[in-house]
């Protein structure tokens, strides 16, 4: 093989690897400076990940070591297949609670079956996300209202917090939904273990204080270490304070969960879809923000594949569902991380902890773990965002409120379905509204503008030019037809032609095409012509295949709206002052072009140009006289161009 062929083969292989793994492309130009920044980012993320991972494992209903076993694979797989260079995909509070809620309905927490179903759920969530990425369904995120999801996340944060309160109070944990747990806590406050409450409250205070003092201090790790030291020195377990206890060291081998049948998988499917959706929804926003900040692109479909790979890795190592960690991603970015190497190093450091350092966590108080979770999810309770929605748009606030209350009243999975349902309802409802503008000519120009935005825009009597402000499709077709007929019926001057500007309709489905056919018939019965302008090629083909083109007539389809207006004027005898003003403004614009073109002319050509200008001025003078004698015509003082001569 020649050298040129060898280089071509290497380029092809590199290109193939870059398509499969965005990580390869991020390593171009990698040097020691970037490595140093990535190592700092990895150490920062590890300091946050160890305590939060152990706490979130308990949120998912698993022992703390489950996070140490499963997250290294998740971190490494997302680093290889995800497209964001700063995002940290590992444990997630929202995904952990979704996992516990799904599996808790099918098995007793703490049982081997619960562990097996949790791993199966992570595997299914990974498969769902990866398949969605392969099928290029990343754009589905735009159909879910960020306002509604903010309400869902707020409600989820409240559920997470209420589950940690018994640990901090040292009382028995309640079961049931949010309000049942809240009622249980209030009725059992008298059983509060004072020393446990002191440990939990002190942990929360230390976390908040350290967070305010410096963003560089890993507050969660510092409080975790402090909690372990105090607990060991004072023997808090002997005084009634619950501790984590012995944590097995080592690793588990990758394996498929045992004893999970087809019926179980069907029962887990809604939760798997929910985890895939929530993980993607909370990841895509930060991923795009980091990409914009550092000047690269993220691919939503790649993000789905990366999240799917992370969940598959977590499930294979008997773990739980994985998602985006906002706090660790932000810390990773602030530390200066430039590539996914930070995630790979974090995975390695977590493996070292799982192999050799689990014994250090034996004396850790459960109240401290609960405090770490509560402080970590405070950012999910975005009160300012809800207040902003309330002041800006009550509809968005209502959607967020419905999602929030749905989570609290019906638990996580039904709440997720409510949030998704509200988002889809708002999408369909807004799409079904007839958003249509009537176009008129801006005085002094031949430009068209929406009459509700440009008050001076002039319309031609008998001709209505409408532009749908979004593409025509089945959801808005009927309402748009009704709106056109209503405006035609309520017009002050009898309408003789309706010209539809279809610029925003890139494609046309069958129901929308049928609507145009029906609209043509409705208008024809009223003696009104239907014309179309700016019809894109896919729309033209659909009109042709459905027979609408033959009904409307190719002679009534125009490349530009202006061409349709000109055709209207040419085929109708009655010319109102609006039409004469259009002709006069056209003459004025022609005169301006002739004047500009004559700047460099000399001799005979200059004389011809001056003669043409004189004739155009004479035509303009006659037009002004005509306009002054037409009924309802504005006076010359109303001319927005003012005096030109």
């Amino acid at each position: 093989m020649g050298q040129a062929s060898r280089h071509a083969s290497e380029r092809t292989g590199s290109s193939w690897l870059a398509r499969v793994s965005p990580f390869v492309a991020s390593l171009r130009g990698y040097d020691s400076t970037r490595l140093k920044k990535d190592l700092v980012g990895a150490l920062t993320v590890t300091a946050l990940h160890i305590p939060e991972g152990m706490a979130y494992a308990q949120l998912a209903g698993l022992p703390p070591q489950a996070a140490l076993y499963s997250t290294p694979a998740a971190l490494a797989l997302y680093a290889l297949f995800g497209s964001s260079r700063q995002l940290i995909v590992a444990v997630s509070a929202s995904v952990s609670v979704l996992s516990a809620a799904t599996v808790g309905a099918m098995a007793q927490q703490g049982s081997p079956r619960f562990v097996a179903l949790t791993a199966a759920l992570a595997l299914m969530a990974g498969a769902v996300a990866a398949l969605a990425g392969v099928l290029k369904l990343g754009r589905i995120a735009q159909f879910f209202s960020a306002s509604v999801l903010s309400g869902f996340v707020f409600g989820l944060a409240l559920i997470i917090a209420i589950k940690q309160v018994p640990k901090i109070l040292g009382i028995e944990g309640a079961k049931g939904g949010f309000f049942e747990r809240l009622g249980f806590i209030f009725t059992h406050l008298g059983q509060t273990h004072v020393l446990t409450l002191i440990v939990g409250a002190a942990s929360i205070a230390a976390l908040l204080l350290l967070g305010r003092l410096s963003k560089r201090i890993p507050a969660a790790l510092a409080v975790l270490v402090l909690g372990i030291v105090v607990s060991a020195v004072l023997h808090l377990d002997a005084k009634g304070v619950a501790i984590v206890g012995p944590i097995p060291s080592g690793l588990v081998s990758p394996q498929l969960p045992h004893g999970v049948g087809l019926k179980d998988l069907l029962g887990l499917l809604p939760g798997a879809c929910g985890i895939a959706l929530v993980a993607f929804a909370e990841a895509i926003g930060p991923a795009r923000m980091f990409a914009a900040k550092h000047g690269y692109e993220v691919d939503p479909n790649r993000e789905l594949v990366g999240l799917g790979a992370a969940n598959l890795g977590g499930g294979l190592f008997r773990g739980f569902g994985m998602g985006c960690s906002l706090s660790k991603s932000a810390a990773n970015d602030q530390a200066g991380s430039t590539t996914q190497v930070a995630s790979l190093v974090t995975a390695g450091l977590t493996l070292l902890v799982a192999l050799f350092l689990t014994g250090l966590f034996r004396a850790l108080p459960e109240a401290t773990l609960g405090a770490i979770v509560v402080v970590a999810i405070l950012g999910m309770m975005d009160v300012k965002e809800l207040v902003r929605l309330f002041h800006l748009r009550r509809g968005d606030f209502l959607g967020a409120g419905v999602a929030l209350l749905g989570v609290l009243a019906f638990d996580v999975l039904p709440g997720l379905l409510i949030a998704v349902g509200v988002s889809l309802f708002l999408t369909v409802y807004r799409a079904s509204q007839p958003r249509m503008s009537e176009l008129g000519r801006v005085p002094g120009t031949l430009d068209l503008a929406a009459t509700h935005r440009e008050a001076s825009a002039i319309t031609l009597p008998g001709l209505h030019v409408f532009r749908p402000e979004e593409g025509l499709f089945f959801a808005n077709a009927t309402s748009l037809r009704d709106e056109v007929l209503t405006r035609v019926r309520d017009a002050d001057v009898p309408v003789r032609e309706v010209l539809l500007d279809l610029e925003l309709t890139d494609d046309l489905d069958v129901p929308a095409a049928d609507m145009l056919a029906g609209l043509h018939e409705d208008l024809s019965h009223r003696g009104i012509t239907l014309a179309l302008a700016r019809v894109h090629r896919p729309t033209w083909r659909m009109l042709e295949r459905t027979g609408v083109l033959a009904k409307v007539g190719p002679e009534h389809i125009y490349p530009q709206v202006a061409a349709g207006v000109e055709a209207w004027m040419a085929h109708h005898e009655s010319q109102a002052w609006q039409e004469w003003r259009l002709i006069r403004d056209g003459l004025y614009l022609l005169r301006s072009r002739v004047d500009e073109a004559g700047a460099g002319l000399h001799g005979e050509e200059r004389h011809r140009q001056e003669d043409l200008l004189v004739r155009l001025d004479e035509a303009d003078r006659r037009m002004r006289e005509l306009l002054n004698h037409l009924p309802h015509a504005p006076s010359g003082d109303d001319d927005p161009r003012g005096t030109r001569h």
Side-chain angles (χ1 to χ4, degrees), residues 555-623:
E555 70 276 10
H556 293 132
I557 298 182
Y558 304 101
Q560 298 295 330
V561 176
V565 175
E566 292 169 8
W568 156 262
M569 293 178 60
H571 290 87
H572 293 83
E573 296 179 358
S574 111
Q575 291 179 315
W577 67 265
Q578 294 95 333
E579 298 176 45
W580 288 113
R581 278 284 297 273
L582 188 153
I583 297 171
R584 181 190 166 208
D585 288 338
L587 283 172
Y588 169 68
L589 292 173
L590 176 60
R591 187 194 187 283
S592 300
R593 299 294 182 270
V594 172
D595 200 10
E596 293 171 3
L601 298 178
H602 301 282
E604 186 62 28
E605 291 182 344
R606 178 66 176 177
H607 289 305
R608 290 177 182 174
Q609 184 252 359
E610 290 177 350
D611 181 60
L612 180 56
L613 288 175
V614 170
R615 281 186 283 173
L616 288 173
D617 286 340
E618 177 61 21
D620 180 67
R621 184 186 64 78
R622 293 180 180 179
M623 281 287 183

Side-chain angles (χ1 to χ4, degrees), residues 507-582:
D507 199 357
L508 197 70
D509 57 22
V510 174
D514 292 341
M515 181 278 290
L516 291 175
L519 178 61
H520 172 266
E521 292 178 4
D522 290 335
L523 293 175
S524 295
H525 292 155
R526 293 170 169 82
I528 301 172
T529 301
L530 174 64
L532 306 175
R534 296 201 279 191
V535 180
H536 296 292
R537 179 55 55 184
T539 302
W540 181 287
R541 285 197 295 265
M542 179 56 72
L543 293 175
E544 194 172 37
R545 293 168 62 188
T546 55
V548 179
L549 184 62
K551 290 182 179 181
V552 173
E555 70 276 10
H556 293 132
I557 298 182
Y558 304 101
Q560 298 295 330
V561 176
V565 175
E566 292 169 8
W568 156 262
M569 293 178 60
H571 290 87
H572 293 83
E573 296 179 358
S574 111
Q575 291 179 315
W577 67 265
Q578 294 95 333
E579 298 176 45
W580 288 113
R581 278 284 297 273
L582 188 153

Side-chain angles (χ1 to χ4, degrees), residues 395-466:
D396 287 340
F397 174 77
L398 181 61
V402 169
L404 193 159
L405 293 176
V407 174
L408 298 183
F410 302 105
D411 212 353
V412 179
L413 278 179
L416 175 62
L417 293 177
I418 290 172
V420 171
V422 170
S423 291
L424 292 178
F425 171 77
L426 292 175
T427 301
V428 174
Y429 176 77
R430 294 185 64 181
S432 66
Q433 299 305 298
R435 297 174 57 212
M436 185 176 69
S437 298
E438 182 173 4
L439 303 183
R441 187 178 59 83
V442 179
T445 74
L446 299 181
D447 299 329
L448 295 171
T451 55
H452 68 277
R453 297 192 187 100
E454 181 63 51
S456 62
I458 303 171
T459 59
L460 300 182
L463 173 67
H464 277 215
V465 183
F466 295 127

